[in-house]
Amino acid sequence: FTITGTVTEPGTLTNQVFYEPENPIEELGWGYASATSYLDYPEIQISQIKGPVGTPVTIQGGSFTPSSIIQIDFGTHQTITTAISNTNGTFSVTFLVNTQPYGSQLIKLLDTIHYTLNTIHFFILPQITQISPQSAHIGDSISISGNGFSGNEIVYFYVTGSTFGCLADQNGAFSSQFLINTQQGGTKVVTAQSYYSGAMATSSFVVLLQPQITLVSPTEGPVGTVVTVEGSGISDQGLVR
């Protein structure tokens, strides 16, 4: 007998078996029968399974159809890259994680010749990508941006003595500003956290000391008047004369 096969879904081969009766006189004619076999999925390996936007990810595959084009989808991005298997059915390809929301994103490999499919997950982590300027004085404005947070979700920022927030876009990216409030000088930590998912990242900037008088009250009076002076930008427990 002879066997012909048709791939009906990834990993499955439906066989048509053409057979000849053992006794053509008693069993008139020819006939067809069907059987189903299961093929092994192509092998894939990934260089790492988690990281922030911009992370290079290398995928290696084996047991693919030789000299075939392999389409690679990543999360919401169809065909983030393609690869061509060699004569042994193996390949290696690298792509950069593009801007997508926090969490597990599906990497899908599709052999467009025989429609064989395999998948693996990559977990996108949040990050603060920029704080500008990196050092500033009290009252100055600081710009902050990041990505890899939950899409369409409020991101709260926690800085020494203050809390504020902004809305991340559908891809989990944000850009905002805040003012440096009155505080001691030195290195300060900024924490950004998505409200519901808890996705969190930190960064830092430096508050520069610039001593200044912020209040004199009263501004005039006779001898003996008690004058109140307030200021900022003084080091902790520093002596003021």
Side-chain angles (χ1 to χ4, degrees):
F1 61 89
T2 59
I3 298 177
T4 59
T6 304
V7 175
T8 57
E9 60 179 285
T12 303
L13 175 67
T14 298
N15 297 323
Q16 289 185 330
V17 182
F18 183 73
Y19 68 94
E20 179 181 1
E22 294 182 0
N23 190 336
I25 297 177
E26 296 179 0
E27 302 178 41
L28 300 177
W30 300 75
Y32 289 90
S34 294
T36 300
S37 300
Y38 291 92
L39 302 176
D40 291 333
Y41 283 100
E43 302 168 358
I44 57 173
Q45 293 182 335
I46 188 171
S47 58
Q48 48 194 324
I49 59 174
K50 62 181 179 179
V53 172
T55 299
V57 177
T58 299
I59 297 177
Q60 296 178 327
S63 300
F64 281 78
T65 301
S67 304
S68 65
I69 299 175
I70 299 156
Q71 174 182 319
I72 299 175
D73 299 344
F74 175 53
T76 59
H77 191 149
Q78 287 191 331
T79 317
I80 194 168
T81 188
T82 57
I84 300 178
S85 60
N86 61 21
T87 54
N88 295 319
T90 64
F91 73 90
S92 179
V93 65
T94 300
F95 68 89
L96 297 180
V97 173
N98 65 329
T99 303
Q100 295 191 42
Y102 169 79
S104 182
Q105 301 294 342
L106 185 67
I107 299 175
K108 183 190 303 183
L109 288 83
L110 177 65
D111 184 330
T112 56
I113 295 179
H114 292 293
Y115 305 100
T116 53
L117 180 68
N118 207 337
T119 60
I120 194 168
H121 286 83
F122 182 91
F123 200 96
I124 294 181
L125 300 175
Q127 64 178 345
I128 295 175
T129 57
Q130 182 182 39
I131 291 183
S132 180
Q134 281 289 310
S135 58
H137 298 94
I138 292 171
D140 289 346
S141 177
I142 298 289
S143 296
I144 183 171
S145 57
N147 53 39
F149 290 80
S150 297
N152 297 319
E153 191 172 309
I154 294 176
V155 178
Y156 282 103
F157 305 93
Y158 305 95
V159 193
T160 304
S162 64
T163 301
F164 63 99
C166 71
L167 184 66
D169 65 21
Q170 64 180 1
N171 293 316
F174 69 83
S175 181
S176 187
Q177 293 181 327
F178 65 92
L179 295 178
I180 301 177
N181 61 350
T182 300
Q183 56 188 284
Q184 299 175 18
T187 301
K188 307 297 177 178
V189 175
V190 180
T191 300
Q193 185 172 20
S194 294
Y195 182 70
Y196 291 106
S197 68
M200 183 175 66
T202 61
S203 188
S204 63
F205 68 100
V206 176
V207 175
L208 300 174
L209 292 180
Q210 183 178 8
Q212 58 181 333
I213 296 174
T214 59
L215 174 68
V216 176
S217 178
T219 57
E220 59 182 341
V223 174
T225 299
V226 176
V227 178
T228 300
V229 179
E230 295 181 358
S232 63
I234 307 298
S235 60
D236 185 29
Q237 299 181 351
L239 179 64
V240 179
R241 296 181 179 179

